[in-house]
Amino acid sequence: SLTSRLTVLTEGTATILRHDTPVLNQDDRDEVFFNGQVGLQYQINPALIADIRLLSSYYHTVYLKAQRSAENSVQRSLRLRPNLTWTPTPSTRAQIGSEVRATYTVDDYVLEGRRPQDQSARELRYDGTLEQDIGSGMRVLAEGTLSDLRLGRFFQDRFAEIPFDTLRTYGGRLQLQAGRRVVARAGVRFFIRTDYDRATTVRYRRVDDAGALLLDEGGAAVRTTVTRPGRRWIEQIGPTGAIDYRMLGGGSLRFEGWLNLQRIRYRLYGDLPEESAAHIRAEARRGSRRYIPNLAVTVVWPL
């Protein structure tokens, strides 16, 4: 701490990992990883704390066998992360933060006749959480996130890029928590992601010249596919629940389940068969639906 309000934060790690795989396994590689951060934390008043951190990492992968040595790569990343934490009362805690990230992945070398696969990734991200104690051992938990990730082909010699995709992600969760030794949570979550796909395949029902559905001999709709560039939306919403049991001795047992009601829809670009273009685009917008149940069990036992 520099003063009673201002604190300097520093951290760094260095790791070397050597894989020793069987003779027939081509995944024999060495990995070198450096990670570090420096930051400042300032207590504006008893209820409000601001901090800003600069994080960087260096990751080098070297495959030891000639069959995969062309996959050797170096990844460098730099992140700036400001954050505000507000605690107006012991029962209320809110946190909001953002992150700007730049990551560059470069191959050690390129085989003759092949195109370089160097890639850049730049992301702007916002996060927010809120915890509110409503009494009787119950708390309301809310969180939300927004991310804009832009990918591009990277040219290291000119430090330039050609963008080829943008992924936008929105997510959130609202839960009610109760209990102390046995903690139960229940709520709802949502997730939306949109990105560009150069080869989007849409399955649609065929129609005749009058716009009526074509049926096969069994009376089912005749379906076919079309592939075009397009933008894809993945939308999920559903209930969530979890039970945490804190065992004697410091261990814990956690059951967590959630149900995704997922819808995937598309917007197609480019020319389509003129007689069916409107119908195909409508089918793509309608998309497909499915239900995805999930269950996870986690046991932690200190030795």
Side-chain angles (χ1 to χ4, degrees):
S1 296
L2 298 180
T3 68
S4 59
R5 292 190 176 188
L6 183 62
T7 304
V8 177
L9 308 170
T10 60
E11 182 180 340
T13 59
T15 305
I16 297 177
L17 179 61
R18 295 178 176 177
H19 295 262
D20 187 10
T21 59
V23 176
L24 297 179
N25 192 327
Q26 299 178 3
D27 195 36
D28 198 2
R29 67 189 187 275
D30 288 351
E31 300 173 357
V32 178
F33 180 65
F34 298 98
N35 185 51
Q37 65 170 301
V38 61
L40 292 173
Q41 179 176 290
Y42 183 70
Q43 184 155 1
I44 301 173
N45 58 49
L48 186 62
I49 297 176
D51 69 78
I52 183 168
R53 303 189 185 195
L54 180 65
L55 305 96
S56 64
S57 64
Y58 174 93
Y59 182 70
H60 191 186
T61 304
V62 177
Y63 287 89
L64 304 181
K65 296 183 179 179
Q67 295 92 328
R68 297 189 62 182
S69 60
E71 301 177 39
N72 297 355
S73 64
V74 175
Q75 184 182 91
R76 300 176 179 88
S77 181
L78 190 65
R79 293 179 290 167
L80 181 65
R81 184 186 296 169
N83 187 76
L84 282 174
T85 303
W86 184 48
T87 312
T89 67
S91 61
T92 303
R93 184 177 186 272
Q95 188 173 42
I96 184 169
S98 64
E99 180 177 286
V100 180
R101 175 176 67 92
T103 300
Y104 304 98
T105 304
V106 179
D107 292 337
D108 281 350
Y109 63 89
V110 180
L111 295 178
E112 185 177 356
R114 294 190 182 181
R115 296 180 58 186
Q117 300 297 316
D118 300 347
Q119 181 173 297
S120 65
R122 294 181 292 112
E123 183 180 19
L124 175 61
R125 182 184 182 93
Y126 298 97
D127 297 282
T129 62
L130 173 65
E131 298 182 16
Q132 177 65 52
D133 191 331
I134 57 177
S136 302
M138 302 182 68
R139 300 178 66 87
V140 175
L141 310 175
E143 61 183 61
T145 181
L146 165 63
S147 170
D148 186 281
L149 173 62
R150 303 187 180 188
L151 305 176
R153 181 183 170 194
F154 182 56
F155 300 92
Q156 184 174 223
D157 55 343
R158 304 195 301 272
F159 200 75
E161 65 180 7
I162 299 178
F164 62 75
D165 198 2
T166 298
L167 286 78
R168 292 189 177 92
T169 304
Y170 312 85
R173 187 192 305 262
L174 179 63
Q175 290 185 312
L176 182 64
Q177 174 181 300
R180 290 181 173 84
R181 183 175 178 183
V182 179
V183 180
R185 295 184 181 182
V188 62
R189 67 174 289 275
F190 78 92
F191 173 85
I192 300 173
R193 193 186 79 177
T194 173
D195 67 317
Y196 175 77
D197 191 341
R198 286 172 286 185
T200 297
T201 299
V202 173
R203 184 175 174 84
Y204 66 95
R205 297 170 296 177
R206 294 181 58 186
V207 296
D208 57 23
D209 295 338
L213 292 176
L214 293 176
L215 305 178
D216 59 19
E217 296 178 353
V222 177
R223 296 179 180 269
T224 189
T225 60
V226 61
T227 301
R228 293 289 189 278
R231 180 158 289 278
R232 171 178 51 198
W233 281 265
I234 300 176
E235 302 165 347
Q236 297 177 346
I237 189 171
T240 67
I243 296 178
D244 293 308
Y245 175 63
R246 301 170 186 173
M247 297 179 287
L248 298 177
S252 64
L253 178 63
R254 179 181 178 88
F255 295 91
E256 184 176 12
W258 63 100
L259 175 65
N260 285 335
L261 286 70
Q262 177 174 280
R263 179 188 180 192
I264 301 179
R265 56 190 181 91
Y266 308 90
R267 176 186 296 170
L268 298 181
Y269 304 132
D271 297 330
L272 292 169
E274 184 175 351
E275 66 280 1
S276 304
H279 173 70
I280 295 174
R281 295 189 190 280
E283 289 275 288
R285 288 193 299 269
R286 181 162 46 246
S288 60
R289 292 177 173 84
R290 62 181 301 192
Y291 298 94
I292 308 174
N294 301 271
L295 178 64
V297 180
T298 305
V299 179
V300 178
W301 188 262
L303 298 177

